[in-house]
Amino acid sequence: MTAFFTEEGSADAVNARMGKDVNPRLKEVMASLIKHLHAFAKDIHLTQDEWDIAIDFLTRTGQMCSGERQEFILLSDTLGFSMLVDAINNRRPVGATENTVFGPFHVIGAPEREMGANISLDGKGESCLFEGRVIDLHGEPVAGARIDVWSDNAEGFYDVQQPDIQPKWNNRGIFTTGADGKYRFAGIKPVSYPIPDDGPVGKMLGLLGRHPYRPAHMHFLVTASGFQKVVTHTFVGDDPYINSDTVFGVKETLVAPYEHVKGETAWRSYFDFVLTPVGTSVAR
Amino acid sequence: MTAFFTEEGSADAVNARMGKDVNPRLKEVMASLIKHLHAFAKDIHLTQDEWDIAIDFLTRTGQMCSGERQEFILLSDTLGFSMLVDAINNRRPVGATENTVFGPFHVIGAPEREMGANISLDGKGESCLFEGRVIDLHGEPVAGARIDVWSDNAEGFYDVQQPDIQPKWNNRGIFTTGADGKYRFAGIKPVSYPIPDDGPVGKMLGLLGRHPYRPAHMHFLVTASGFQKVVTHTFVGDDPYINSDTVFGVKETLVAPYEHVKGETAWRSYFDFVLTPVGTSVAR
Protein backbone atom coordinates (compact mmCIF):
# COMPACT_ATOMS: atom_id res chain seq x y z
CA MET A 1 0.00 0.00 0.00
CA THR A 2 1.28 3.40 -0.95
CA ALA A 3 0.85 6.25 1.48
CA PHE A 4 0.36 8.60 -1.45
CA PHE A 5 -2.87 10.32 -2.29
CA THR A 6 -5.22 8.99 -4.95
CA GLU A 7 -8.71 10.18 -5.84
CA GLU A 8 -10.18 6.73 -5.19
CA GLY A 9 -8.44 6.20 -1.86
CA SER A 10 -8.53 9.80 -0.66
CA ALA A 11 -10.35 9.27 2.66
CA ASP A 12 -8.25 6.23 3.54
CA ALA A 13 -5.05 8.16 2.82
CA VAL A 14 -6.09 10.89 5.26
CA ASN A 15 -7.35 8.56 7.98
CA ALA A 16 -4.27 6.32 7.78
CA ARG A 17 -2.22 9.35 8.79
CA MET A 18 -3.65 9.55 12.33
CA GLY A 19 -1.21 8.57 15.05
CA LYS A 20 -1.33 5.53 17.31
CA ASP A 21 -1.91 7.32 20.61
CA VAL A 22 -4.85 9.43 19.47
CA ASN A 23 -7.95 9.58 21.67
CA PRO A 24 -10.06 6.70 20.30
CA ARG A 25 -13.29 8.72 20.18
CA LEU A 26 -11.57 11.60 18.36
CA LYS A 27 -10.17 9.09 15.88
CA GLU A 28 -13.63 7.60 15.28
CA VAL A 29 -15.31 10.99 14.85
CA MET A 30 -12.63 12.34 12.50
CA ALA A 31 -12.55 9.18 10.40
CA SER A 32 -16.30 9.41 9.86
CA LEU A 33 -16.13 13.14 9.11
CA ILE A 34 -13.39 12.62 6.50
CA LYS A 35 -15.30 9.74 4.93
CA HIS A 36 -18.49 11.79 4.59
CA LEU A 37 -16.80 15.03 3.49
CA HIS A 38 -14.85 13.26 0.77
CA ALA A 39 -17.95 11.33 -0.37
CA PHE A 40 -19.79 14.66 -0.62
CA ALA A 41 -17.12 16.19 -2.88
CA LYS A 42 -17.09 13.09 -5.07
CA ASP A 43 -20.87 12.67 -5.30
CA ILE A 44 -21.33 16.24 -6.37
CA HIS A 45 -18.12 16.64 -8.38
CA LEU A 46 -17.35 19.83 -6.46
CA THR A 47 -15.62 22.38 -8.68
CA GLN A 48 -12.66 24.57 -7.76
CA ASP A 49 -14.89 27.68 -7.95
CA GLU A 50 -17.41 26.10 -5.58
CA TRP A 51 -14.59 25.23 -3.17
CA ASP A 52 -13.49 28.92 -3.29
CA ILE A 53 -17.06 30.00 -2.46
CA ALA A 54 -17.21 27.53 0.45
CA ILE A 55 -13.90 28.77 1.92
CA ASP A 56 -15.09 32.36 1.67
CA PHE A 57 -18.48 31.52 3.23
CA LEU A 58 -16.92 29.70 6.20
CA THR A 59 -14.44 32.54 6.72
CA ARG A 60 -17.17 35.19 6.73
CA THR A 61 -19.29 33.05 9.06
CA GLY A 62 -16.43 32.84 11.56
CA GLN A 63 -15.74 36.53 11.32
CA MET A 64 -19.42 37.39 12.00
CA CYS A 65 -19.15 35.69 15.42
CA SER A 66 -18.82 37.87 18.52
CA GLY A 67 -19.81 37.76 22.17
CA GLU A 68 -23.41 38.57 21.17
CA ARG A 69 -23.66 36.69 17.88
CA GLN A 70 -22.89 33.06 17.04
CA GLU A 71 -23.21 32.69 13.28
CA PHE A 72 -21.94 29.07 13.24
CA ILE A 73 -24.76 28.07 15.61
CA LEU A 74 -27.22 29.81 13.27
CA LEU A 75 -25.68 27.83 10.41
CA SER A 76 -26.01 24.55 12.31
CA ASP A 77 -29.59 25.46 13.27
CA THR A 78 -30.72 26.39 9.76
CA LEU A 79 -29.20 23.22 8.27
CA GLY A 80 -31.21 21.11 10.75
CA PHE A 81 -27.95 19.90 12.28
CA SER A 82 -28.65 21.27 15.79
CA MET A 83 -32.05 19.57 15.87
CA LEU A 84 -30.50 16.33 14.66
CA VAL A 85 -27.85 16.32 17.40
CA ASP A 86 -30.56 17.08 19.95
CA ALA A 87 -32.74 14.23 18.61
CA ILE A 88 -29.90 11.69 18.61
CA ASN A 89 -29.05 12.49 22.22
CA ASN A 90 -32.60 12.66 23.57
CA ARG A 91 -34.42 9.60 22.29
CA ARG A 92 -37.43 9.00 24.53
CA PRO A 93 -40.26 6.49 24.81
CA VAL A 94 -43.52 7.21 22.97
CA GLY A 95 -45.67 9.46 25.14
CA ALA A 96 -42.77 11.27 26.78
CA THR A 97 -42.40 14.98 26.04
CA GLU A 98 -39.90 15.52 23.23
CA ASN A 99 -36.98 17.92 23.23
CA THR A 100 -36.36 20.69 20.77
CA VAL A 101 -33.53 23.23 20.29
CA PHE A 102 -32.39 25.19 23.34
CA GLY A 103 -31.86 28.42 21.41
CA PRO A 104 -29.56 31.29 22.38
CA PHE A 105 -31.95 33.28 24.60
CA HIS A 106 -32.11 31.30 27.86
CA VAL A 107 -30.65 33.19 30.84
CA ILE A 108 -29.59 31.45 34.04
CA GLY A 109 -31.02 32.88 37.25
CA ALA A 110 -34.53 33.99 36.29
CA PRO A 111 -36.75 34.90 39.28
CA GLU A 112 -38.55 32.12 41.14
CA ARG A 113 -42.22 33.05 41.00
CA GLU A 114 -45.38 31.99 42.85
CA MET A 115 -47.60 29.58 40.93
CA GLY A 116 -50.09 31.65 38.94
CA ALA A 117 -47.87 34.74 38.67
CA ASN A 118 -47.67 36.90 35.55
CA ILE A 119 -44.32 36.85 33.72
CA SER A 120 -45.24 39.63 31.27
CA LEU A 121 -43.84 42.82 32.79
CA ASP A 122 -44.17 45.27 29.90
CA GLY A 123 -47.95 45.22 29.57
CA LYS A 124 -47.80 44.45 25.84
CA GLY A 125 -49.41 41.60 23.92
CA GLU A 126 -52.45 39.33 24.18
CA SER A 127 -52.75 37.77 27.64
CA CYS A 128 -52.46 34.01 27.83
CA LEU A 129 -52.81 31.53 30.68
CA PHE A 130 -50.36 28.62 30.59
CA GLU A 131 -51.27 25.56 32.61
CA GLY A 132 -50.93 21.82 32.83
CA ARG A 133 -49.13 19.16 34.81
CA VAL A 134 -45.70 17.61 35.14
CA ILE A 135 -46.24 13.85 35.19
CA ASP A 136 -44.29 10.63 34.72
CA LEU A 137 -44.82 7.98 32.03
CA HIS A 138 -47.58 6.39 34.17
CA GLY A 139 -49.46 9.69 34.50
CA GLU A 140 -48.43 10.19 38.15
CA PRO A 141 -47.74 13.78 39.21
CA VAL A 142 -44.11 14.85 39.67
CA ALA A 143 -43.68 17.06 42.72
CA GLY A 144 -40.78 19.50 43.03
CA ALA A 145 -40.29 19.86 39.27
CA ARG A 146 -38.71 23.18 38.26
CA ILE A 147 -40.22 24.81 35.18
CA ASP A 148 -38.01 27.54 33.74
CA VAL A 149 -39.94 29.48 31.07
CA TRP A 150 -39.02 32.24 28.64
CA SER A 151 -40.49 33.84 25.52
CA ASP A 152 -40.25 36.89 23.30
CA ASN A 153 -42.46 39.91 23.92
CA ALA A 154 -45.34 41.06 21.71
CA GLU A 155 -42.87 42.69 19.31
CA GLY A 156 -40.84 39.50 18.82
CA PHE A 157 -37.82 40.37 20.98
CA TYR A 158 -36.45 38.72 24.11
CA ASP A 159 -35.61 41.02 27.03
CA VAL A 160 -31.87 40.41 26.52
CA GLN A 161 -32.14 41.73 22.97
CA GLN A 162 -33.61 45.01 24.25
CA PRO A 163 -32.01 45.66 27.63
CA ASP A 164 -32.75 49.41 27.39
CA ILE A 165 -36.39 48.95 26.37
CA GLN A 166 -37.80 45.91 28.20
CA PRO A 167 -37.94 45.41 31.98
CA LYS A 168 -35.32 42.95 33.22
CA TRP A 169 -36.69 39.35 33.31
CA ASN A 170 -39.67 40.30 31.11
CA ASN A 171 -41.44 37.10 30.02
CA ARG A 172 -39.23 34.88 32.19
CA GLY A 173 -39.71 32.98 35.42
CA ILE A 174 -39.20 29.74 37.31
CA PHE A 175 -42.09 27.78 38.84
CA THR A 176 -41.90 24.72 41.10
CA THR A 177 -44.65 22.09 41.22
CA GLY A 178 -46.31 20.91 44.41
CA ALA A 179 -47.68 17.44 45.23
CA ASP A 180 -50.30 17.63 42.45
CA GLY A 181 -47.67 18.26 39.76
CA LYS A 182 -49.69 21.20 38.44
CA TYR A 183 -48.28 24.43 37.03
CA ARG A 184 -50.00 27.65 36.08
CA PHE A 185 -48.73 31.08 35.05
CA ALA A 186 -49.89 34.10 33.11
CA GLY A 187 -48.01 35.59 30.18
CA ILE A 188 -48.68 36.56 26.58
CA LYS A 189 -49.37 34.54 23.47
CA PRO A 190 -45.90 34.50 21.88
CA VAL A 191 -45.33 35.86 18.37
CA SER A 192 -43.16 34.65 15.49
CA TYR A 193 -39.83 36.37 14.78
CA PRO A 194 -36.86 36.12 12.41
CA ILE A 195 -33.47 34.81 13.48
CA PRO A 196 -30.68 37.36 12.88
CA ASP A 197 -30.41 37.36 9.08
CA ASP A 198 -28.01 40.20 8.27
CA GLY A 199 -24.99 37.85 8.00
CA PRO A 200 -23.77 35.00 5.76
CA VAL A 201 -26.48 32.62 7.06
CA GLY A 202 -29.26 35.07 6.18
CA LYS A 203 -27.72 35.43 2.71
CA MET A 204 -27.65 31.63 2.38
CA LEU A 205 -31.31 31.36 3.38
CA GLY A 206 -32.16 33.92 0.70
CA LEU A 207 -30.30 31.97 -1.99
CA LEU A 208 -32.10 28.79 -0.89
CA GLY A 209 -35.51 30.46 -1.18
CA ARG A 210 -36.08 30.22 2.56
CA HIS A 211 -37.38 32.78 5.07
CA PRO A 212 -35.64 33.38 8.44
CA TYR A 213 -38.73 33.05 10.69
CA ARG A 214 -39.48 30.88 13.68
CA PRO A 215 -43.15 30.19 14.49
CA ALA A 216 -44.37 31.59 17.82
CA HIS A 217 -43.35 29.44 20.79
CA MET A 218 -42.95 29.42 24.58
CA HIS A 219 -39.68 27.94 25.89
CA PHE A 220 -39.68 25.41 28.73
CA LEU A 221 -36.78 23.85 30.61
CA VAL A 222 -38.24 21.23 32.95
CA THR A 223 -36.04 19.46 35.51
CA ALA A 224 -36.92 17.06 38.32
CA SER A 225 -34.85 14.70 40.43
CA GLY A 226 -34.64 11.24 38.86
CA PHE A 227 -35.87 12.40 35.45
CA GLN A 228 -34.19 13.46 32.22
CA LYS A 229 -34.01 17.20 31.64
CA VAL A 230 -36.58 18.38 29.07
CA VAL A 231 -35.55 21.32 26.87
CA THR A 232 -38.52 22.15 24.70
CA HIS A 233 -41.04 24.67 23.38
CA THR A 234 -44.78 24.64 22.88
CA PHE A 235 -45.77 26.07 19.51
CA VAL A 236 -48.77 28.14 18.49
CA GLY A 237 -50.44 25.83 15.97
CA ASP A 238 -52.05 28.47 13.76
CA ASP A 239 -48.83 30.41 13.28
CA PRO A 240 -48.13 31.10 9.57
CA TYR A 241 -44.63 29.61 9.98
CA ILE A 242 -45.68 26.44 11.83
CA ASN A 243 -44.74 24.25 8.83
CA SER A 244 -41.55 26.10 7.99
CA ASP A 245 -39.63 26.89 11.20
CA THR A 246 -36.27 28.06 9.85
CA VAL A 247 -34.42 26.00 12.51
CA PHE A 248 -36.68 22.91 12.17
CA GLY A 249 -37.63 23.03 15.86
CA VAL A 250 -41.30 22.02 15.45
CA LYS A 251 -42.32 18.47 16.34
CA GLU A 252 -45.90 17.30 15.96
CA THR A 253 -46.26 16.56 19.69
CA LEU A 254 -45.13 20.09 20.62
CA VAL A 255 -47.86 21.94 18.75
CA ALA A 256 -49.97 22.89 21.74
CA PRO A 257 -53.52 24.12 21.91
CA TYR A 258 -53.73 27.89 22.25
CA GLU A 259 -57.48 28.48 22.67
CA HIS A 260 -59.23 31.79 22.56
CA VAL A 261 -61.20 32.13 25.80
CA LYS A 262 -63.56 34.64 27.36
CA GLY A 263 -62.77 36.16 30.71
CA GLU A 264 -59.78 37.81 32.33
CA THR A 265 -57.35 36.29 29.84
CA ALA A 266 -57.61 36.25 26.03
CA TRP A 267 -55.91 32.89 25.47
CA ARG A 268 -55.30 29.65 27.31
CA SER A 269 -52.67 27.01 26.52
CA TYR A 270 -52.82 23.66 28.30
CA PHE A 271 -49.84 21.29 28.06
CA ASP A 272 -48.70 18.32 30.18
CA PHE A 273 -44.97 17.62 30.45
CA VAL A 274 -44.35 13.87 30.59
CA LEU A 275 -40.92 13.13 32.06
CA THR A 276 -38.68 10.16 31.30
CA PRO A 277 -36.71 8.49 34.11
CA VAL A 278 -32.94 8.92 34.03
CA GLY A 279 -31.28 5.84 32.53
CA THR A 280 -34.12 5.02 30.12
CA SER A 281 -32.61 4.06 26.77
CA VAL A 282 -34.51 3.89 23.52
CA ALA A 283 -32.99 2.06 20.57
CA ARG A 284 -33.39 3.26 17.00
CA MET B 1 -46.09 13.88 4.57
CA THR B 2 -45.50 16.12 7.55
CA ALA B 3 -43.13 19.02 7.17
CA PHE B 4 -42.03 18.50 10.77
CA PHE B 5 -38.60 17.31 11.79
CA THR B 6 -37.92 13.69 12.70
CA GLU B 7 -34.59 12.03 13.43
CA GLU B 8 -35.13 9.47 10.65
CA GLY B 9 -36.20 11.99 8.04
CA SER B 10 -33.94 14.85 9.12
CA ALA B 11 -32.10 15.43 5.83
CA ASP B 12 -35.30 15.20 3.78
CA ALA B 13 -37.01 17.72 6.08
CA VAL B 14 -34.21 20.22 5.50
CA ASN B 15 -33.93 19.67 1.76
CA ALA B 16 -37.69 19.84 1.23
CA ARG B 17 -37.55 23.40 2.54
CA MET B 18 -35.59 24.77 -0.44
CA GLY B 19 -37.59 27.07 -2.71
CA LYS B 20 -38.70 26.42 -6.27
CA ASP B 21 -36.62 29.09 -7.97
CA VAL B 22 -33.30 28.15 -6.43
CA ASN B 23 -30.26 27.80 -8.69
CA PRO B 24 -30.35 24.10 -9.66
CA ARG B 25 -26.65 23.53 -9.02
CA LEU B 26 -26.83 25.20 -5.58
CA LYS B 27 -29.81 22.99 -4.78
CA GLU B 28 -27.91 19.86 -5.81
CA VAL B 29 -24.77 20.79 -3.85
CA MET B 30 -26.69 21.73 -0.69
CA ALA B 31 -28.88 18.61 -0.81
CA SER B 32 -25.77 16.42 -0.97
CA LEU B 33 -24.03 18.38 1.78
CA ILE B 34 -27.06 18.05 4.09
CA LYS B 35 -27.35 14.34 3.34
CA HIS B 36 -23.69 13.68 4.16
CA LEU B 37 -23.54 15.97 7.22
CA HIS B 38 -26.62 14.37 8.75
CA ALA B 39 -25.35 10.87 7.96
CA PHE B 40 -22.08 11.76 9.72
CA ALA B 41 -23.88 12.86 12.91
CA LYS B 42 -26.01 9.71 12.88
CA ASP B 43 -23.19 7.26 12.09
CA ILE B 44 -21.08 8.61 14.90
CA HIS B 45 -23.90 9.45 17.35
CA LEU B 46 -22.41 12.92 17.79
CA THR B 47 -22.88 14.17 21.36
CA GLN B 48 -23.93 17.64 22.44
CA ASP B 49 -20.47 18.25 23.94
CA GLU B 50 -18.80 17.27 20.67
CA TRP B 51 -21.11 19.64 18.80
CA ASP B 52 -20.05 22.43 21.21
CA ILE B 53 -16.39 21.64 20.49
CA ALA B 54 -17.03 21.71 16.73
CA ILE B 55 -18.80 25.09 16.89
CA ASP B 56 -15.93 26.51 18.93
CA PHE B 57 -13.31 25.07 16.55
CA LEU B 58 -14.99 26.49 13.45
CA THR B 59 -15.38 29.87 15.12
CA ARG B 60 -11.71 30.05 16.12
CA THR B 61 -10.69 28.91 12.64
CA GLY B 62 -12.67 31.76 11.06
CA GLN B 63 -11.29 34.27 13.50
CA MET B 64 -7.68 33.20 12.74
CA CYS B 65 -8.16 34.25 9.11
CA SER B 66 -6.67 37.54 7.94
CA GLY B 67 -5.22 39.05 4.78
CA GLU B 68 -2.03 37.03 5.35
CA ARG B 69 -3.45 33.84 6.84
CA GLN B 70 -6.21 31.54 5.56
CA GLU B 71 -6.88 28.99 8.30
CA PHE B 72 -9.88 27.41 6.50
CA ILE B 73 -7.64 26.64 3.51
CA LEU B 74 -5.14 25.04 5.89
CA LEU B 75 -8.02 23.01 7.34
CA SER B 76 -9.16 21.90 3.88
CA ASP B 77 -5.56 21.07 2.95
CA THR B 78 -4.79 19.02 6.06
CA LEU B 79 -8.04 17.04 5.71
CA GLY B 80 -7.07 16.08 2.16
CA PHE B 81 -10.09 17.97 0.87
CA SER B 82 -8.13 20.43 -1.28
CA MET B 83 -6.23 17.60 -2.98
CA LEU B 84 -9.49 15.74 -3.57
CA VAL B 85 -11.15 18.75 -5.25
CA ASP B 86 -8.01 19.21 -7.37
CA ALA B 87 -8.05 15.52 -8.34
CA ILE B 88 -11.74 15.48 -9.26
CA ASN B 89 -11.32 18.50 -11.50
CA ASN B 90 -8.07 17.47 -13.16
CA ARG B 91 -8.47 13.85 -14.25
CA ARG B 92 -5.91 13.14 -16.95
CA PRO B 93 -4.90 10.23 -19.15
CA VAL B 94 -2.19 7.86 -17.92
CA GLY B 95 1.21 9.31 -18.77
CA ALA B 96 0.11 12.95 -18.49
CA THR B 97 1.69 15.01 -15.69
CA GLU B 98 -0.61 15.07 -12.67
CA ASN B 99 -1.70 18.13 -10.73
CA THR B 100 -1.16 18.78 -7.06
CA VAL B 101 -2.19 21.59 -4.69
CA PHE B 102 -1.48 25.17 -5.77
CA GLY B 103 -0.54 26.36 -2.28
CA PRO B 104 -0.68 29.92 -0.98
CA PHE B 105 2.77 31.13 -2.07
CA HIS B 106 2.44 31.69 -5.82
CA VAL B 107 2.84 35.34 -6.84
CA ILE B 108 1.65 36.68 -10.19
CA GLY B 109 4.20 38.62 -12.20
CA ALA B 110 7.49 36.86 -11.50
CA PRO B 111 10.37 37.93 -13.77
CA GLU B 112 10.69 36.32 -17.19
CA ARG B 113 14.18 34.82 -17.26
CA GLU B 114 16.54 33.51 -19.94
CA MET B 115 16.68 29.74 -20.25
CA GLY B 116 19.48 28.52 -17.94
CA ALA B 117 19.28 31.49 -15.52
CA ASN B 118 19.69 31.11 -11.77
CA ILE B 119 16.57 31.85 -9.68
CA SER B 120 18.36 31.67 -6.32
CA LEU B 121 19.26 35.25 -5.43
CA ASP B 122 20.29 34.92 -1.79
CA GLY B 123 23.28 32.63 -2.29
CA LYS B 124 22.05 30.12 0.27
CA GLY B 125 21.45 26.40 -0.15
CA GLU B 126 22.76 23.52 -2.24
CA SER B 127 22.82 24.37 -5.92
CA CYS B 128 20.59 22.33 -8.18
CA LEU B 129 20.06 22.24 -11.94
CA PHE B 130 16.46 21.73 -13.07
CA GLU B 131 15.94 20.50 -16.60
CA GLY B 132 13.68 18.52 -18.85
CA ARG B 133 11.14 18.98 -21.61
CA VAL B 134 7.56 20.05 -22.09
CA ILE B 135 5.96 17.48 -24.39
CA ASP B 136 2.53 16.28 -25.47
CA LEU B 137 1.03 12.84 -24.94
CA HIS B 138 2.84 11.57 -28.07
CA GLY B 139 6.23 12.78 -26.84
CA GLU B 140 6.35 15.73 -29.25
CA PRO B 141 7.94 18.93 -27.91
CA VAL B 142 5.62 21.82 -26.97
CA ALA B 143 7.04 25.17 -28.06
CA GLY B 144 6.04 28.42 -26.34
CA ALA B 145 5.12 26.75 -23.05
CA ARG B 146 5.45 29.07 -20.05
CA ILE B 147 6.98 27.49 -16.96
CA ASP B 148 6.38 29.56 -13.82
CA VAL B 149 8.50 28.16 -10.94
CA TRP B 150 8.77 28.96 -7.23
CA SER B 151 10.26 27.36 -4.12
CA ASP B 152 11.27 28.11 -0.56
CA ASN B 153 14.83 29.13 0.23
CA ALA B 154 17.40 26.99 2.10
CA GLU B 155 15.80 27.95 5.43
CA GLY B 156 12.31 26.81 4.40
CA PHE B 157 10.73 30.22 3.75
CA TYR B 158 9.31 31.75 0.58
CA ASP B 159 10.43 35.28 -0.27
CA VAL B 160 6.94 36.65 0.51
CA GLN B 161 7.21 35.27 4.05
CA GLN B 162 10.43 37.22 4.62
CA PRO B 163 10.11 40.45 2.61
CA ASP B 164 12.71 42.19 4.79
CA ILE B 165 15.24 39.36 4.64
CA GLN B 166 15.10 37.79 1.17
CA PRO B 167 15.67 39.58 -2.15
CA LYS B 168 12.42 40.17 -4.05
CA TRP B 169 11.62 37.29 -6.46
CA ASN B 170 14.14 35.00 -4.74
CA ASN B 171 13.66 31.46 -6.04
CA ARG B 172 11.06 32.51 -8.62
CA GLY B 173 11.02 32.96 -12.36
CA ILE B 174 9.21 32.31 -15.63
CA PHE B 175 10.81 30.41 -18.53
CA THR B 176 9.44 29.91 -22.04
CA THR B 177 10.28 26.87 -24.17
CA GLY B 178 11.61 27.06 -27.71
CA ALA B 179 10.99 24.66 -30.60
CA ASP B 180 12.73 21.76 -28.82
CA GLY B 181 10.38 22.06 -25.77
CA LYS B 182 13.39 22.02 -23.45
CA TYR B 183 13.72 23.96 -20.21
CA ARG B 184 16.70 24.48 -17.93
CA PHE B 185 17.32 26.70 -14.91
CA ALA B 186 19.55 26.82 -11.85
CA GLY B 187 18.24 27.05 -8.30
CA ILE B 188 18.62 25.21 -5.02
CA LYS B 189 17.53 21.82 -3.81
CA PRO B 190 14.33 22.75 -1.91
CA VAL B 191 13.93 21.89 1.78
CA SER B 192 10.96 20.65 3.81
CA TYR B 193 9.03 23.12 6.01
CA PRO B 194 6.01 23.21 8.33
CA ILE B 195 2.72 24.85 7.39
CA PRO B 196 1.71 27.59 9.87
CA ASP B 197 0.76 25.56 12.95
CA ASP B 198 0.17 28.14 15.68
CA GLY B 199 -3.63 28.17 15.14
CA PRO B 200 -6.60 25.80 15.49
CA VAL B 201 -5.42 23.61 12.60
CA GLY B 202 -1.98 23.12 14.19
CA LYS B 203 -3.71 22.17 17.44
CA MET B 204 -5.89 19.69 15.55
CA LEU B 205 -2.85 18.11 13.88
CA GLY B 206 -1.26 17.69 17.31
CA LEU B 207 -4.37 15.95 18.70
CA LEU B 208 -4.41 13.65 15.65
CA GLY B 209 -0.77 12.68 16.19
CA ARG B 210 0.28 14.37 12.96
CA HIS B 211 3.21 16.69 12.16
CA PRO B 212 2.75 19.91 10.16
CA TYR B 213 5.54 19.32 7.58
CA ARG B 214 5.56 19.30 3.81
CA PRO B 215 8.34 17.35 2.06
CA ALA B 216 10.74 19.46 -0.03
CA HIS B 217 9.31 20.38 -3.42
CA MET B 218 9.68 22.76 -6.38
CA HIS B 219 6.45 24.38 -7.64
CA PHE B 220 5.63 24.46 -11.35
CA LEU B 221 2.77 26.15 -13.18
CA VAL B 222 2.98 25.09 -16.83
CA THR B 223 0.72 26.65 -19.46
CA ALA B 224 0.66 26.30 -23.22
CA SER B 225 -1.92 27.17 -25.85
CA GLY B 226 -4.29 24.25 -26.54
CA PHE B 227 -3.27 22.33 -23.40
CA GLN B 228 -4.69 22.05 -19.90
CA LYS B 229 -2.91 24.12 -17.27
CA VAL B 230 -0.67 22.00 -15.04
CA VAL B 231 -0.31 23.10 -11.41
CA THR B 232 2.14 20.77 -9.78
CA HIS B 233 5.32 20.17 -7.78
CA THR B 234 8.28 17.87 -8.12
CA PHE B 235 9.21 16.28 -4.80
CA VAL B 236 12.59 15.33 -3.39
CA GLY B 237 12.22 11.56 -3.01
CA ASP B 238 14.57 11.04 -0.05
CA ASP B 239 12.88 13.71 2.06
CA PRO B 240 11.96 12.38 5.54
CA TYR B 241 8.37 13.58 5.04
CA ILE B 242 7.87 12.15 1.54
CA ASN B 243 5.34 9.57 2.87
CA SER B 244 3.57 11.97 5.22
CA ASP B 245 3.03 15.33 3.49
CA THR B 246 0.66 17.10 5.87
CA VAL B 247 -1.46 18.35 2.93
CA PHE B 248 -1.34 15.03 1.00
CA GLY B 249 0.21 16.71 -2.05
CA VAL B 250 2.57 13.87 -3.02
CA LYS B 251 1.66 11.64 -5.96
CA GLU B 252 3.86 8.77 -7.02
CA THR B 253 4.49 10.25 -10.47
CA LEU B 254 5.66 13.56 -8.99
CA VAL B 255 8.54 12.15 -6.96
CA ALA B 256 11.35 13.33 -9.19
CA PRO B 257 14.97 12.26 -9.35
CA TYR B 258 17.25 14.67 -7.50
CA GLU B 259 20.70 13.24 -8.20
CA HIS B 260 23.93 14.30 -6.57
CA VAL B 261 26.36 15.27 -9.33
CA LYS B 262 29.93 16.45 -9.62
CA GLY B 263 30.74 19.72 -11.23
CA GLU B 264 29.51 23.27 -11.00
CA THR B 265 26.21 22.23 -9.45
CA ALA B 266 25.70 19.88 -6.46
CA TRP B 267 22.36 18.41 -7.62
CA ARG B 268 20.44 17.80 -10.82
CA SER B 269 16.72 17.16 -11.20
CA TYR B 270 15.36 16.03 -14.56
CA PHE B 271 11.59 16.05 -15.14
CA ASP B 272 9.44 16.03 -18.29
CA PHE B 273 6.07 17.77 -18.21
CA VAL B 274 3.55 15.88 -20.33
CA LEU B 275 0.62 18.12 -21.26
CA THR B 276 -2.97 17.08 -21.93
CA PRO B 277 -4.96 18.73 -24.73
CA VAL B 278 -7.85 20.98 -23.69
CA GLY B 279 -11.14 19.12 -23.90
CA THR B 280 -9.74 15.69 -23.02
CA SER B 281 -12.13 14.01 -20.61
CA VAL B 282 -11.26 11.01 -18.51
CA ALA B 283 -14.06 9.01 -16.87
CA ARG B 284 -13.71 7.46 -13.44
Side-chain angles (χ1 to χ4, degrees), chain A residues 177-198:
Chain A
T177 58
D180 61 2
K182 289 184 178 170
Y183 74 90
R184 187 169 195 271
F185 63 92
I188 60 162
K189 190 186 178 198
V191 303
S192 44
Y193 60 84
I195 62 166
D197 66 342
D198 56 341

Side-chain angles (χ1 to χ4, degrees), chain A residues 2-8 10 13-15 17-23 25-30 32-48 50-51 55-56 58-59 62-66 70 72-73 76-91 204 206-211 242-252 255 284, chain B residues 2-8 10 13-15 17-23 25-30 32-48 50-51 55-56 58-59 62-66 70 72-73 76-91 204 206-211 242-252 255 284:
Chain A
T2 172
F4 297 150
F5 185 93
T6 61
E7 182 180 334
E8 294 71 22
S10 66
V14 177
N15 287 332
R17 198 64 69 74
M18 287 193 272
K20 298 220 180 302
D21 298 329
V22 175
N23 176 297
R25 174 63 180 171
L26 176 64
K27 202 163 186 164
E28 188 183 19
V29 171
M30 288 303 292
S32 179
L33 179 65
I34 296 295
K35 194 187 79 175
H36 284 290
L37 274 181
H38 284 224
F40 157 66
K42 289 176 186 183
D43 282 0
I44 210 69
H45 200 302
L46 196 73
T47 69
Q48 192 67 51
E50 289 163 350
W51 178 90
I55 293 289
D56 179 58
L58 290 169
T59 304
Q63 300 195 329
M64 191 81 195
C65 295
S66 67
Q70 229 308 347
F72 270 115
I73 292 186
S76 172
D77 291 353
T78 52
L79 299 184
F81 198 78
S82 305
M83 272 301 285
L84 177 59
V85 172
D86 185 77
I88 289 171
N89 290 285
N90 294 286
R91 293 169 182 161
M204 177 191 78
L207 291 171
L208 295 178
R210 289 173 49 183
H211 66 70
I242 194 71
N243 287 314
S244 62
D245 183 354
T246 200
V247 306
F248 303 93
V250 183
K251 289 177 174 172
E252 199 133 23
V255 180
R284 276 293 140 96
Chain B
T2 172
F4 297 149
F5 185 92
T6 61
E7 182 179 334
E8 295 71 22
S10 66
V14 177
N15 287 332
R17 199 64 69 72
M18 286 192 273
K20 298 222 180 302
D21 298 328
V22 175
N23 176 298
R25 174 63 180 171
L26 176 64
K27 203 163 186 165
E28 187 183 21
V29 171
M30 288 302 292
S32 178
L33 179 65
I34 296 294
K35 194 187 79 173
H36 284 290
L37 274 181
H38 283 224
F40 158 65
K42 289 176 186 183
D43 281 0
I44 210 71
H45 199 301
L46 195 73
T47 70
Q48 193 67 50
E50 289 162 352
W51 179 89
I55 293 288
D56 179 58
L58 291 168
T59 304
Q63 300 196 330
M64 191 82 196
C65 295
S66 67
Q70 228 308 349
F72 270 116
I73 293 185
S76 172
D77 290 354
T78 53
L79 299 185
F81 198 78
S82 305
M83 273 300 286
L84 177 59
V85 172
D86 184 77
I88 288 171
N89 290 286
N90 295 285
R91 293 170 181 158
M204 177 192 79
L207 291 171
L208 295 178
R210 289 173 49 183
H211 65 72
I242 194 71
N243 287 314
S244 62
D245 183 355
T246 201
V247 306
F248 303 94
V250 183
K251 289 177 174 172
E252 200 133 22
V255 180
R284 276 295 142 97

